[in-house]
């Protein structure tokens, strides 16, 4: 039996923290589906196509043969059931993540009994890292080279710096 895991997230944009979790999940499961999903509570800066292309670049650079990328239009629990995945993999940074992640894990399990959530603890160097921190720093022209994969650094920077050029 092929053990499939789904790694869902907004990935707006992908960070080194996300990539670390994807890499580690790819060692634990036969196949990992990185699933770009809509989060109703967030407005995104990058389109699904942009986010997909960033993840594609970052994962193909690492030659992660068992990682594929998909876009979710619907409920995560339904997707997990449809592809026959045995786990939802998420990174847990700090206690502050826990309540939200715990709530989602329980809701997904209620929607589909087979939706087991597995949490990987974030590597120490990525504890503080999030897509919104990256966006804040980049939009004011700050250095995000330690936060995002090098192959997508320029794409992300160019888009976010432009976005923040206000008219006064
Ligand atoms: O990276 P994020 O924004 O924390 O990821 C949250 C995400 C996208 C995984 C979550 O919002 C999600 O699963 N969205 C898909 C729609 C869905 O199933 N929502 C109910 C989750 S309980």
């Amino acid at each position: 039996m092929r053990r499939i895991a789904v790694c869902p997230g907004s990935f707006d944009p992908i960070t080194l923290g996300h990539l670390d979790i994807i890499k580690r999940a790819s060692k634990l499961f036969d196949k990992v589906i990185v699933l770009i999903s809509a989060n109703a509570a967030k407005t995104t800066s990058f389109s699904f196509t942009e986010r997909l292309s960033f993840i594609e670049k970052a994962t193909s650079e690492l030659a992660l043969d068992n990682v594929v990328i998909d876009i979710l239009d619907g409920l995560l629990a339904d997707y997990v059931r449809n592809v026959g995945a045995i786990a939802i993999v998420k990174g847990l940074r700090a206690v502050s993540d826990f309540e939200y992640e715990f709530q989602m894990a329980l809701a997904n399990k209620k929607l589909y009994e087979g939706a087991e959530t597995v949490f990987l603890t974030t590597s120490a160097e990525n504890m503080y890292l999030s897509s919104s921190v990256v966006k804040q720093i980049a939009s004011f022209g700050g250095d995000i080279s330690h936060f995002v994969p090098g192959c997508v650094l320029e794409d992300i920077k160019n888009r976010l710096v432009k976005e923040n050029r206000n008219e006064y």
Side-chain angles (χ1 to χ4, degrees):
M1 190 187 83
R2 270 164 62 77
R3 297 162 73 85
I4 302 171
V6 174
C7 216
S10 308
F11 302 107
D12 186 52
I14 186 167
T15 66
L16 289 175
H18 293 131
L19 198 55
D20 175 54
I21 297 293
I22 295 166
K23 225 179 342 183
R24 285 159 58 200
S26 79
K27 292 190 188 131
L28 297 171
F29 296 92
D30 297 320
K31 178 179 173 183
V32 172
I33 305 172
V34 180
L35 191 63
I36 309 169
S37 321
N39 181 339
K42 289 183 185 170
T43 19
T44 51
S45 301
F46 296 96
S47 68
F48 276 108
T49 319
E50 285 176 305
R51 287 180 269 161
L52 180 87
S53 107
F54 296 158
I55 300 172
E56 229 157 36
K57 274 194 196 175
T59 52
S60 60
E61 196 177 53
L62 296 177
L64 301 172
D65 299 337
N66 62 341
V67 173
V68 298
I69 308 154
D70 200 2
I71 292 175
L72 175 67
D73 181 19
L75 281 175
L76 177 60
D78 291 338
Y79 186 93
V80 168
R81 186 203 322 253
N82 291 340
V83 297
I86 60 161
I88 296 168
V89 176
K90 299 226 65 185
L92 211 50
R93 283 168 302 196
V95 180
S96 52
D97 278 349
F98 184 76
E99 205 172 311
Y100 166 68
E101 294 295 347
F102 192 59
Q103 191 182 26
M104 277 199 296
L106 289 180
N108 283 323
K109 187 116 173 88
K110 194 81 187 162
L111 291 170
Y112 168 49
E113 182 58 29
E116 291 291 355
T117 302
V118 173
F119 293 111
L120 295 184
T121 42
T122 297
S123 307
E125 64 270 28
N126 297 325
M127 282 291 281
Y128 60 92
L129 198 49
S130 70
S131 297
S132 39
V133 163
V134 166
K135 286 191 279 189
Q136 277 276 344
I137 296 172
S139 65
F140 292 107
D143 179 13
I144 53 164
S145 61
H146 298 293
F147 310 144
V148 299
C151 57
V152 294
L153 176 64
E154 288 307 315
D155 297 339
I156 294 173
K157 253 171 40 182
N158 290 340
R159 265 280 269 98
L160 291 175
V161 170
K162 244 181 257 158
E163 202 171 83
N164 197 47
R165 262 185 219 139
N166 293 322
E167 301 282 330
Y168 290 101

